[in-house]
Amino acid sequence: VEPGQAELVLTIPVERVEERLATLRLRVLDARTGSPLASAEVGLHLRGTFGNGTPVDAEGRVEFARRAPGLWLLSISAEGYA
């Protein structure tokens, strides 16, 4: 940075960013029966953010792709479960 320079531009190749992204795959099951909880919703949020949950599929599976590193909060809810 030169003295008096008002702006500094940093360029990061997209590939460098993408190689640090992750995919989280989950399966939500009933602890007693081992059956998938097809009615469940899973929330994955960066700390301090909120949003709606993502419904799981008929097998209780859900996937969150291309997530950046960070402290994530996971929440799982399903009707009839505490």
Side-chain angles (χ1 to χ4, degrees):
V1 178
E2 298 294 326
Q5 186 174 348
E7 186 176 296
L8 175 65
V9 177
L10 300 173
T11 304
I12 302 171
V14 173
E15 297 79 21
R16 295 284 311 270
V17 174
E18 288 180 338
E19 68 189 20
R20 298 185 193 294
L21 301 179
T23 297
L24 177 64
R25 292 179 186 94
L26 301 169
R27 189 165 187 216
V28 182
L29 305 172
D30 182 301
R32 289 174 296 191
T33 66
S35 299
L37 288 181
S39 65
E41 288 194 358
V42 179
L44 185 65
H45 309 284
L46 282 170
R47 189 172 190 169
T49 65
F50 300 94
N52 295 330
T54 301
V56 300
D57 66 14
E59 292 297 316
R61 290 184 166 86
V62 65
E63 178 177 302
F64 297 95
R66 301 177 53 83
R67 299 297 168 142
L71 181 58
W72 292 86
L73 299 176
L74 176 70
S75 63
I76 301 172
S77 61
E79 190 174 325
Y81 292 83

Coordinates of all heavy atoms in Angstrom, one line a residue:
V1 N 0.9 -1.2 0.0 CA 0.0 0.0 0.0 C 0.9 1.2 0.0 O 1.8 1.4 0.8 CB -0.9 0.0 1.2 CG1 -1.8 1.3 1.2 CG2 -1.8 -1.2 1.3
E2 N 0.6 2.1 -0.9 CA 1.4 3.3 -1.0 C 0.8 4.4 -0.1 O -0.4 4.4 0.1 CB 1.4 3.8 -2.5 CG 2.0 2.9 -3.5 CD 3.5 2.7 -3.3 OE1 4.1 3.7 -2.9 OE2 4.0 1.6 -3.5
P3 N 1.6 5.3 0.5 CA 1.1 6.4 1.3 C 0.1 7.2 0.5 O 0.3 7.5 -0.7 CB 2.3 7.2 1.6 CG 3.5 6.2 1.5 CD 3.1 5.3 0.4
G4 N -1.0 7.4 1.1 CA -2.1 8.2 0.5 C -3.0 7.4 -0.4 O -4.0 8.0 -0.9
Q5 N -2.7 6.1 -0.5 CA -3.6 5.3 -1.4 C -4.9 5.1 -0.7 O -5.0 4.7 0.4 CB -2.9 3.9 -1.6 CG -3.6 3.0 -2.6 CD -2.8 1.8 -2.8 OE1 -1.6 1.6 -2.5 NE2 -3.4 0.8 -3.5
A6 N -6.0 5.4 -1.4 CA -7.3 5.4 -0.9 C -8.0 4.0 -0.9 O -8.9 3.7 -0.2 CB -8.2 6.4 -1.6
E7 N -7.5 3.1 -1.8 CA -8.1 1.8 -2.0 C -7.1 0.8 -2.2 O -6.1 1.0 -2.9 CB -9.1 2.0 -3.2 CG -9.9 0.7 -3.4 CD -10.9 1.0 -4.5 OE1 -11.8 1.9 -4.4 OE2 -10.8 0.3 -5.6
L8 N -7.4 -0.4 -1.7 CA -6.6 -1.6 -1.9 C -7.5 -2.7 -2.4 O -8.5 -3.0 -1.8 CB -5.9 -2.0 -0.6 CG -5.0 -3.3 -0.7 CD1 -3.9 -3.1 -1.6 CD2 -4.6 -3.7 0.7
V9 N -7.1 -3.3 -3.5 CA -7.9 -4.4 -4.1 C -7.2 -5.7 -3.9 O -6.0 -5.8 -4.3 CB -8.2 -4.1 -5.6 CG1 -9.0 -5.3 -6.2 CG2 -8.9 -2.8 -5.8
L10 N -7.8 -6.6 -3.3 CA -7.3 -8.0 -3.2 C -8.1 -8.9 -4.0 O -9.4 -8.9 -4.0 CB -7.4 -8.4 -1.7 CG -6.6 -7.6 -0.7 CD1 -6.9 -8.0 0.7 CD2 -5.1 -7.6 -1.0
T11 N -7.5 -9.8 -4.7 CA -8.2 -10.7 -5.6 C -7.8 -12.1 -5.1 O -6.7 -12.5 -5.0 CB -7.8 -10.6 -7.1 OG1 -8.0 -9.2 -7.4 CG2 -8.5 -11.5 -8.0
I12 N -8.9 -12.9 -4.9 CA -8.7 -14.3 -4.5 C -9.4 -15.2 -5.6 O -10.5 -15.0 -5.9 CB -9.4 -14.6 -3.1 CG1 -8.8 -13.7 -2.1 CG2 -9.3 -16.1 -2.8 CD1 -9.6 -13.7 -0.8
P13 N -8.7 -16.2 -6.1 CA -9.2 -17.0 -7.2 C -10.5 -17.8 -6.6 O -10.4 -18.3 -5.4 CB -8.1 -18.0 -7.5 CG -6.9 -17.3 -7.1 CD -7.2 -16.5 -5.9
V14 N -11.5 -17.9 -7.4 CA -12.7 -18.6 -7.0 C -12.4 -20.0 -6.5 O -12.9 -20.5 -5.5 CB -13.7 -18.6 -8.1 CG1 -14.9 -19.5 -7.8 CG2 -14.2 -17.2 -8.5
E15 N -11.4 -20.7 -7.2 CA -11.1 -22.1 -6.8 C -10.6 -22.1 -5.4 O -10.8 -23.1 -4.7 CB -10.0 -22.6 -7.8 CG -10.4 -22.7 -9.2 CD -10.4 -21.4 -10.0 OE1 -9.7 -20.4 -9.5 OE2 -11.1 -21.3 -11.0
R16 N -9.8 -21.1 -4.9 CA -9.3 -21.1 -3.5 C -10.5 -21.1 -2.5 O -10.4 -21.7 -1.5 CB -8.4 -20.0 -3.3 CG -7.1 -20.0 -4.1 CD -6.1 -21.0 -3.5 NE -5.8 -20.9 -2.1 CZ -4.9 -20.1 -1.5 NH1 -4.1 -19.3 -2.3 NH2 -4.7 -20.1 -0.3
V17 N -11.5 -20.3 -2.9 CA -12.7 -20.2 -2.0 C -13.5 -21.5 -2.0 O -13.8 -22.0 -1.0 CB -13.6 -19.0 -2.4 CG1 -14.8 -19.0 -1.6 CG2 -12.8 -17.7 -2.3
E18 N -13.7 -22.0 -3.2 CA -14.5 -23.2 -3.3 C -13.9 -24.4 -2.7 O -14.6 -25.3 -2.1 CB -14.8 -23.5 -4.8 CG -15.8 -22.5 -5.4 CD -16.1 -22.8 -6.9 OE1 -15.3 -23.4 -7.6 OE2 -17.1 -22.3 -7.3
E19 N -12.6 -24.5 -2.6 CA -12.0 -25.7 -2.0 C -12.1 -25.7 -0.5 O -11.9 -26.7 0.1 CB -10.5 -25.8 -2.4 CG -9.6 -24.7 -1.8 CD -8.2 -24.7 -2.4 OE1 -8.0 -25.2 -3.5 OE2 -7.3 -24.1 -1.8
R20 N -12.5 -24.6 0.1 CA -12.7 -24.5 1.5 C -14.2 -24.7 1.9 O -14.5 -24.8 3.1 CB -12.3 -23.2 2.0 CG -10.8 -23.0 1.8 CD -10.3 -21.7 2.4 NE -9.0 -21.3 2.0 CZ -7.8 -21.9 2.3 NH1 -7.9 -23.1 2.9 NH2 -6.7 -21.4 1.9
L21 N -15.1 -24.9 0.9 CA -16.5 -25.1 1.2 C -16.8 -26.5 1.5 O -16.0 -27.4 1.1 CB -17.4 -24.7 0.0 CG -17.2 -23.2 -0.4 CD1 -18.1 -22.9 -1.6 CD2 -17.5 -22.3 0.7
A22 N -17.8 -26.8 2.3 CA -18.1 -28.2 2.8 C -19.6 -28.5 2.5 O -20.4 -27.6 2.3 CB -17.8 -28.3 4.2
T23 N -19.9 -29.8 2.5 CA -21.3 -30.3 2.4 C -21.6 -31.1 3.7 O -20.7 -31.9 4.1 CB -21.4 -31.2 1.2 OG1 -21.2 -30.3 0.0 CG2 -22.8 -31.7 1.1
L24 N -22.7 -30.8 4.2 CA -23.2 -31.5 5.4 C -24.4 -32.4 5.0 O -25.4 -31.8 4.6 CB -23.5 -30.5 6.5 CG -24.1 -31.1 7.8 CD1 -23.0 -32.0 8.5 CD2 -24.5 -30.0 8.8
R25 N -24.3 -33.7 5.2 CA -25.4 -34.6 4.9 C -25.9 -35.2 6.3 O -25.1 -35.7 7.0 CB -25.0 -35.7 4.0 CG -24.7 -35.2 2.6 CD -24.2 -36.3 1.7 NE -23.8 -35.7 0.4 CZ -22.5 -35.4 0.1 NH1 -21.6 -35.6 1.0 NH2 -22.2 -34.9 -1.1
L26 N -27.2 -35.1 6.5 CA -27.7 -35.6 7.8 C -28.9 -36.5 7.5 O -29.6 -36.4 6.5 CB -28.3 -34.4 8.6 CG -27.3 -33.3 9.0 CD1 -28.1 -32.2 9.6 CD2 -26.3 -33.9 10.0
R27 N -29.1 -37.4 8.4 CA -30.3 -38.2 8.4 C -31.0 -38.2 9.8 O -30.3 -38.5 10.8 CB -30.0 -39.7 8.0 CG -31.2 -40.5 7.8 CD -30.9 -41.8 7.0 NE -32.1 -42.5 6.7 CZ -32.3 -43.8 6.7 NH1 -31.2 -44.6 7.0 NH2 -33.4 -44.3 6.4
V28 N -32.2 -37.9 9.8 CA -32.9 -37.7 11.1 C -33.8 -39.0 11.3 O -34.6 -39.3 10.5 CB -33.8 -36.5 11.1 CG1 -34.5 -36.3 12.4 CG2 -33.0 -35.2 10.8
L29 N -33.5 -39.6 12.4 CA -34.2 -40.9 12.8 C -34.8 -40.8 14.2 O -34.3 -40.1 15.0 CB -33.2 -42.1 12.8 CG -32.3 -42.3 11.5 CD1 -31.3 -43.3 11.7 CD2 -33.2 -42.7 10.3
D30 N -35.9 -41.6 14.4 CA -36.5 -41.8 15.7 C -35.5 -42.6 16.5 O -35.1 -43.7 16.1 CB -37.8 -42.5 15.5 CG -38.5 -42.7 16.8 OD1 -38.0 -43.3 17.7 OD2 -39.7 -42.2 17.0
A31 N -35.1 -42.1 17.7 CA -34.1 -42.8 18.5 C -34.6 -44.2 19.0 O -33.8 -45.1 19.2 CB -33.8 -42.0 19.7
R32 N -35.9 -44.4 19.2 CA -36.5 -45.6 19.7 C -36.6 -46.7 18.6 O -36.3 -47.8 18.7 CB -37.8 -45.4 20.4 CG -37.7 -44.7 21.7 CD -39.1 -44.4 22.2 NE -39.7 -43.5 21.2 CZ -40.8 -42.8 21.4 NH1 -41.4 -42.9 22.5 NH2 -41.2 -41.9 20.5
T33 N -37.1 -46.2 17.4 CA -37.5 -47.2 16.4 C -36.4 -47.3 15.3 O -36.4 -48.2 14.5 CB -38.8 -46.9 15.8 OG1 -38.7 -45.6 15.1 CG2 -39.9 -46.8 16.8
G34 N -35.6 -46.2 15.1 CA -34.7 -46.2 14.0 C -35.3 -45.8 12.7 O -34.6 -45.7 11.7
S35 N -36.6 -45.4 12.7 CA -37.3 -45.1 11.5 C -37.0 -43.6 11.1 O -36.8 -42.8 12.0 CB -38.8 -45.2 11.7 OG -39.1 -46.5 12.0
P36 N -37.0 -43.3 9.8 CA -36.8 -41.9 9.4 C -37.9 -41.0 9.9 O -39.1 -41.4 9.9 CB -36.8 -42.0 7.9 CG -36.6 -43.4 7.6 CD -37.1 -44.2 8.7
L37 N -37.6 -39.8 10.3 CA -38.6 -38.8 10.6 C -38.8 -37.9 9.4 O -38.2 -36.8 9.3 CB -38.1 -38.0 11.8 CG -38.1 -38.7 13.2 CD1 -37.6 -37.8 14.3 CD2 -39.4 -39.3 13.5
A38 N -39.7 -38.3 8.6 CA -40.0 -37.6 7.3 C -40.7 -36.3 7.6 O -40.7 -35.4 6.7 CB -40.9 -38.5 6.4
S39 N -41.2 -36.0 8.8 CA -41.8 -34.8 9.1 C -40.8 -33.7 9.7 O -41.2 -32.6 10.0 CB -43.0 -35.0 10.1 OG -42.5 -35.5 11.3
A40 N -39.6 -34.1 9.9 CA -38.6 -33.2 10.5 C -38.2 -32.1 9.6 O -38.2 -32.1 8.4 CB -37.4 -34.0 10.9
E41 N -37.8 -31.0 10.3 CA -37.1 -29.9 9.6 C -35.8 -29.6 10.3 O -35.7 -29.7 11.5 CB -38.0 -28.6 9.7 CG -39.2 -28.7 8.8 CD -39.9 -27.4 8.6 OE1 -39.4 -26.4 9.2 OE2 -40.9 -27.3 7.9
V42 N -34.8 -29.3 9.5 CA -33.4 -29.1 10.0 C -33.0 -27.7 9.7 O -33.1 -27.2 8.6 CB -32.4 -30.1 9.4 CG1 -31.0 -29.8 9.9 CG2 -32.9 -31.5 9.7
G43 N -32.5 -27.0 10.7 CA -32.0 -25.6 10.5 C -30.5 -25.6 10.6 O -30.0 -26.3 11.5
L44 N -29.8 -25.0 9.8 CA -28.4 -24.8 9.9 C -28.1 -23.3 9.6 O -28.3 -22.8 8.5 CB -27.7 -25.7 8.8 CG -26.1 -25.7 8.9 CD1 -25.7 -26.3 10.3 CD2 -25.5 -26.5 7.8
H45 N -27.6 -22.6 10.7 CA -27.5 -21.2 10.6 C -26.2 -20.8 11.2 O -25.7 -21.4 12.2 CB -28.6 -20.5 11.4 CG -30.0 -21.0 11.0 ND1 -30.6 -20.6 9.8 CD2 -30.8 -21.8 11.6 CE1 -31.8 -21.2 9.7 NE2 -31.9 -21.9 10.8
L46 N -25.6 -19.8 10.6 CA -24.4 -19.1 11.2 C -24.8 -18.5 12.5 O -26.0 -18.0 12.6 CB -23.8 -18.1 10.3 CG -23.0 -18.6 9.1 CD1 -22.7 -17.5 8.1 CD2 -21.7 -19.3 9.6
R47 N -23.9 -18.5 13.5 CA -24.2 -18.0 14.8 C -24.8 -16.5 14.6 O -24.2 -15.7 13.9 CB -23.0 -18.0 15.6 CG -23.3 -17.7 17.1 CD -22.1 -17.9 17.9 NE -22.4 -17.8 19.3 CZ -21.6 -18.1 20.2 NH1 -20.5 -18.6 20.0 NH2 -22.0 -18.0 21.5
G48 N -25.9 -16.3 15.3 CA -26.4 -14.9 15.2 C -27.4 -14.7 14.1 O -27.9 -13.6 13.9
T49 N -27.6 -15.7 13.3 CA -28.6 -15.6 12.2 C -29.8 -16.5 12.4 O -29.6 -17.5 13.1 CB -28.0 -15.8 10.8 OG1 -27.6 -17.2 10.7 CG2 -26.8 -14.9 10.5
F50 N -30.9 -16.2 11.7 CA -32.0 -17.1 11.9 C -32.7 -17.3 10.5 O -32.4 -16.6 9.6 CB -33.1 -16.4 12.8 CG -32.5 -16.2 14.2 CD1 -32.0 -14.9 14.5 CD2 -32.6 -17.2 15.1 CE1 -31.5 -14.7 15.8 CE2 -32.1 -16.9 16.4 CZ -31.5 -15.7 16.7
G51 N -33.5 -18.3 10.4 CA -34.2 -18.6 9.2 C -35.1 -19.8 9.4 O -35.1 -20.4 10.4
N52 N -35.8 -20.2 8.3 CA -36.6 -21.3 8.3 C -35.8 -22.6 8.2 O -34.7 -22.6 7.7 CB -37.6 -21.3 7.2 CG -38.6 -20.1 7.3 OD1 -38.9 -19.7 8.4 ND2 -39.0 -19.6 6.2
G53 N -36.4 -23.7 8.8 CA -35.8 -25.0 8.6 C -36.0 -25.6 7.2 O -36.8 -25.1 6.5
T54 N -35.2 -26.5 6.9 CA -35.3 -27.2 5.6 C -35.9 -28.6 5.9 O -35.4 -29.4 6.7 CB -33.9 -27.4 5.0 OG1 -33.3 -26.1 4.8 CG2 -34.0 -28.2 3.7
P55 N -37.0 -28.9 5.2 CA -37.6 -30.2 5.4 C -36.7 -31.4 4.9 O -36.0 -31.2 3.9 CB -38.9 -30.2 4.5 CG -39.0 -28.8 4.0 CD -37.7 -28.1 4.2
V56 N -36.8 -32.5 5.6 CA -36.1 -33.7 5.2 C -36.9 -34.4 4.2 O -38.1 -34.2 4.0 CB -35.7 -34.6 6.4 CG1 -34.9 -33.9 7.4 CG2 -37.0 -35.1 7.1
D57 N -36.3 -35.4 3.5 CA -37.0 -36.2 2.5 C -37.7 -37.3 3.2 O -37.6 -37.5 4.4 CB -36.1 -36.6 1.3 CG -35.1 -37.6 1.7 OD1 -35.1 -38.2 2.8 OD2 -34.1 -37.8 0.9
A58 N -38.3 -38.2 2.5 CA -39.1 -39.3 3.0 C -38.2 -40.3 3.8 O -38.6 -41.0 4.7 CB -39.8 -40.1 1.9
E59 N -36.9 -40.3 3.5 CA -35.9 -41.1 4.2 C -35.3 -40.4 5.4 O -34.3 -40.9 6.0 CB -34.8 -41.6 3.2 CG -35.4 -42.6 2.2 CD -35.9 -43.9 2.8 OE1 -35.3 -44.4 3.8 OE2 -37.0 -44.3 2.5
G60 N -35.7 -39.2 5.7 CA -35.2 -38.4 6.8 C -33.9 -37.7 6.4 O -33.2 -37.2 7.3
R61 N -33.5 -37.6 5.2 CA -32.3 -37.0 4.7 C -32.4 -35.6 4.3 O -33.4 -35.2 3.8 CB -31.7 -37.8 3.6 CG -31.2 -39.2 3.9 CD -30.6 -39.9 2.7 NE -29.9 -41.1 3.1 CZ -30.4 -42.3 3.2 NH1 -31.7 -42.5 3.0 NH2 -29.6 -43.3 3.5
V62 N -31.3 -34.8 4.6 CA -31.3 -33.4 4.2 C -29.8 -33.2 3.9 O -28.9 -33.8 4.5 CB -31.9 -32.5 5.2 CG1 -31.1 -32.5 6.5 CG2 -32.0 -31.1 4.7
E63 N -29.5 -32.2 3.0 CA -28.2 -31.9 2.6 C -28.0 -30.4 2.6 O -28.9 -29.7 2.0 CB -27.8 -32.5 1.3 CG -26.4 -32.1 0.8 CD -26.0 -32.8 -0.5 OE1 -26.1 -34.0 -0.5 OE2 -25.7 -32.1 -1.5
F64 N -26.9 -29.9 3.1 CA -26.5 -28.5 3.1 C -25.2 -28.4 2.3 O -24.2 -28.9 2.8 CB -26.4 -27.9 4.5 CG -27.7 -27.9 5.2 CD1 -28.0 -29.0 6.1 CD2 -28.6 -26.9 5.1 CE1 -29.2 -29.0 6.8 CE2 -29.8 -26.9 5.8 CZ -30.1 -28.0 6.7
A65 N -25.2 -27.9 1.1 CA -24.0 -27.9 0.3 C -23.4 -26.5 0.3 O -24.0 -25.5 0.5 CB -24.4 -28.3 -1.1
R66 N -22.1 -26.5 0.0 CA -21.3 -25.3 -0.3 C -21.3 -24.3 0.9 O -21.6 -23.1 0.8 CB -21.7 -24.6 -1.5 CG -21.6 -25.5 -2.8 CD -22.0 -24.8 -4.1 NE -21.5 -23.5 -4.3 CZ -20.3 -23.3 -4.9 NH1 -19.5 -24.3 -5.2 NH2 -19.8 -22.1 -5.0
R67 N -21.1 -24.9 2.1 CA -21.1 -24.1 3.3 C -19.7 -23.6 3.7 O -18.7 -24.4 3.7 CB -21.7 -24.8 4.5 CG -23.1 -25.3 4.3 CD -24.0 -24.0 4.2 NE -25.3 -24.4 3.7 CZ -26.4 -23.8 4.1 NH1 -26.4 -22.9 5.0 NH2 -27.6 -24.2 3.6
A68 N -19.5 -22.4 4.0 CA -18.2 -21.8 4.4 C -17.9 -22.2 5.8 O -18.7 -22.5 6.6 CB -18.3 -20.3 4.2
P69 N -16.6 -22.3 6.1 CA -16.2 -22.6 7.4 C -16.8 -21.5 8.4 O -17.0 -20.4 8.0 CB -14.6 -22.4 7.4 CG -14.3 -22.5 6.0 CD -15.4 -22.0 5.2
G70 N -17.0 -22.0 9.6 CA -17.6 -21.0 10.6 C -18.2 -21.8 11.7 O -18.3 -23.0 11.7
L71 N -18.8 -21.1 12.7 CA -19.5 -21.7 13.8 C -21.0 -21.7 13.4 O -21.6 -20.7 13.3 CB -19.3 -20.9 15.1 CG -20.0 -21.4 16.3 CD1 -19.5 -22.8 16.6 CD2 -19.7 -20.5 17.5
W72 N -21.5 -22.9 13.1 CA -22.8 -23.1 12.7 C -23.7 -23.7 13.8 O -23.2 -24.5 14.6 CB -22.9 -24.1 11.5 CG -22.2 -23.6 10.3 CD1 -20.9 -23.6 9.9 CD2 -22.9 -22.9 9.2 NE1 -20.7 -23.0 8.7 CE2 -21.9 -22.6 8.3 CE3 -24.2 -22.6 9.0 CZ2 -22.2 -21.9 7.1 CZ3 -24.5 -21.9 7.8 CH2 -23.5 -21.6 6.9
L73 N -24.9 -23.3 13.9 CA -25.9 -23.9 14.8 C -26.8 -24.8 14.1 O -27.4 -24.4 13.1 CB -26.6 -22.7 15.5 CG -25.8 -21.8 16.4 CD1 -26.6 -20.6 16.9 CD2 -25.0 -22.5 17.5
L74 N -27.0 -26.0 14.6 CA -27.9 -27.0 14.0 C -29.1 -27.1 14.9 O -29.0 -27.2 16.1 CB -27.2 -28.3 13.9 CG -27.9 -29.5 13.4 CD1 -28.2 -29.3 12.0 CD2 -27.2 -30.8 13.7
S75 N -30.3 -27.1 14.3 CA -31.5 -27.3 15.0 C -32.4 -28.3 14.3 O -32.4 -28.3 13.0 CB -32.3 -26.0 15.3 OG -32.7 -25.5 14.0
I76 N -33.0 -29.2 15.0 CA -33.9 -30.2 14.4 C -35.2 -30.2 15.1 O -35.3 -30.2 16.4 CB -33.3 -31.6 14.5 CG1 -31.9 -31.6 13.8 CG2 -34.2 -32.7 13.9 CD1 -31.1 -32.9 14.0
S77 N -36.3 -30.1 14.4 CA -37.6 -30.2 15.0 C -38.5 -31.1 14.2 O -38.4 -31.3 13.0 CB -38.3 -28.8 15.0 OG -38.4 -28.3 13.7
A78 N -39.4 -31.8 14.9 CA -40.4 -32.7 14.3 C -41.6 -32.7 15.2 O -41.5 -32.8 16.4 CB -39.8 -34.1 14.1
E79 N -42.8 -32.7 14.6 CA -44.0 -32.7 15.3 C -44.1 -34.0 16.2 O -43.8 -35.1 15.7 CB -45.2 -32.6 14.4 CG -46.5 -32.4 15.0 CD -47.7 -32.2 14.1 OE1 -47.4 -31.6 13.0 OE2 -48.8 -32.7 14.4
G80 N -44.5 -33.8 17.5 CA -44.6 -34.9 18.4 C -43.3 -35.3 19.1 O -43.3 -36.3 19.9
Y81 N -42.2 -34.6 18.8 CA -40.9 -34.8 19.5 C -40.5 -33.6 20.2 O -40.7 -32.5 19.8 CB -39.9 -35.2 18.5 CG -40.1 -36.6 17.8 CD1 -41.0 -36.7 16.7 CD2 -39.5 -37.7 18.3 CE1 -41.3 -37.9 16.2 CE2 -39.8 -38.9 17.8 CZ -40.6 -39.0 16.7 OH -40.9 -40.3 16.1
A82 N -39.9 -33.8 21.4 CA -39.5 -32.7 22.2 C -38.0 -32.4 21.9 O -37.2 -33.2 21.5 CB -39.6 -33.0 23.7

